[in-house]
Amino acid sequence: MNIGARVVKNLIKGPFRVVRTFQRLLDPAYRLQHRANLSVKSNIPRDRIKLLEQNPGQSSDRECRLLAHLAMEADKSGSIVEIGAYKGKVTAWLVEAAERTKGEARVISIDPHICGTWEEYQETVQKFELDNRGLKIHKELSHELGQSWEEPISMLLVDGSHEYEDVVTDIDDFVPHVLPSGYVVFDDARGKIFPGVTRAINECMRPRPEFEEVGMIKNFAVFRRKAA
Ligand SMILES: C[S@@+](CC[C@H](N)C(=O)[O-])C[C@H]1O[C@@H](n2cnc3c(N)ncnc32)[C@H](O)[C@@H]1O
């Protein structure tokens, strides 16, 4: 494209870009992701971030940065609970973030690993020495643990079974234990691929008056319990 054509293109697109930038600046979800990128950059060394990003997993690097930010920001007197660990990518990010909080936040990771992910999960645990860094692993279904759950939670990630009944059960079992100002994040909450997740959120999470919806970020639906 010659210079003249490029100038004309920029003149036409310029106003749209300005409007889009303003729209984004007003969007709390966009601002949260922006803060997450900055806080991860300033709290976790660059070579460490690179290592964490190389891990296999289903969440994108951007999503992992957001989760790490929420874990660093959440109330330190509760645990960070991950339902659905898969190969441990998010687990490693959460442990890294928990260490950078001033309190005693620890990470609890729940997954039965019925689809053959246990070995790769263990590789991640060993590579990052997660079990020496306060990680508690539960190789079981979330409901097996959730039905007698009593610990306070500062941040909850719901990314286990995506069936409607199971997501409802996760909400019923764990969400009441989330502390004031604590976060609840649902993965795969956007679109029609996992209708069970969307339905459970609509019916069982959105009506809870003690929570406010922070917004949809990528595939995440993010909620925060109102301050006490
Ligand atoms: C979508 S993957 C999680 C991806 C992971 N958060 C990541 O980003 O790499 C879903 C995981 O949930 C686990 N899972 C399925 N049903 C579960 C349940 N009822 N409780 C806990 N974990 C469950 C599966 O074994 C699988 O590893």
Side-chain angles (χ1 to χ4, degrees):
M1 194 187 292
N2 66 35
I3 294 179
R6 214 177 285 164
V7 169
V8 172
K9 190 178 155 205
N10 281 338
L11 279 174
I12 294 169
K13 285 200 170 171
F16 292 105
R17 286 204 186 117
V18 172
V19 170
R20 200 168 348 120
T21 304
F22 273 110
Q23 275 173 341
R24 280 180 173 168
L25 289 174
L26 292 173
D27 177 3
Y30 177 84
R31 291 210 308 267
L32 179 61
Q33 180 70 64
H34 185 64
R35 280 206 307 279
N37 294 341
L38 293 179
S39 91
V40 164
K41 251 191 190 171
S42 57
N43 283 294
I44 304 179
R46 192 192 290 205
D47 52 344
R48 197 75 193 160
I49 295 175
K50 247 189 186 166
L51 213 59
L52 289 163
E53 287 180 350
Q54 281 164 6
N55 261 353
Q58 295 191 348
S59 297
S60 69
D61 294 333
R62 199 188 278 194
E63 288 171 335
C64 290
R65 288 197 294 272
L66 175 65
L67 293 171
H69 171 63
L70 298 182
M72 287 191 274
E73 213 187 60
D75 191 310
K76 312 301 176 287
S77 52
S79 297
I80 295 162
V81 177
E82 171 193 47
I83 301 175
Y86 193 56
K87 297 178 184 175
K89 180 173 186 174
V90 169
T91 322
W93 270 99
L94 293 176
V95 171
E96 198 74 37
E99 279 181 347
R100 281 166 170 80
T101 61
K102 290 195 186 83
E104 294 260 315
R106 67 180 180 129
V107 178
I108 301 176
S109 174
I110 308 165
D111 194 318
H113 293 280
I114 32 181
C115 296
T117 46
W118 179 242
E119 271 185 26
E120 277 173 281
Y121 179 74
Q122 279 301 313
E123 277 171 26
T124 306
V125 169
Q126 277 155 28
K127 183 175 167 190
F128 290 89
E129 298 180 30
L130 301 179
D131 41 2
N132 297 330
R133 297 165 66 199
L135 173 67
K136 194 150 188 224
I137 301 167
H138 290 276
K139 193 178 175 211
E140 55 194 308
L141 294 168
S142 50
H143 185 53
E144 287 168 349
L145 205 62
Q147 53 194 333
S148 56
W149 189 270
E150 287 191 345
E151 279 191 53
I153 297 173
S154 57
M155 183 197 152
L156 172 67
L157 171 62
V158 183
D159 192 18
S161 165
H162 288 37
E163 297 300 321
Y164 169 75
E165 288 78 9
D166 295 330
V167 183
V168 169
T169 307
D170 283 342
I171 293 172
D172 289 345
D173 286 346
F174 293 92
V175 166
H177 300 280
V178 174
L179 292 164
S181 303
Y183 288 101
V184 181
V185 180
F186 296 86
D187 195 7
D188 297 313
R190 193 188 284 279
K192 294 178 181 154
I193 303 174
F194 297 104
V197 177
T198 323
R199 186 177 155 208
I201 294 170
N202 284 340
E203 291 178 8
C204 305
M205 192 66 210
R206 291 207 163 96
R208 288 178 184 259
E210 71 275 28
F211 281 85
E212 60 192 1
E213 188 166 355
V214 179
M216 298 288 302
I217 306 177
K218 292 269 155 192
N219 290 319
F220 288 164
V222 182
F223 294 83
R224 188 170 203 184
R225 190 168 193 141
K226 292 173 188 165

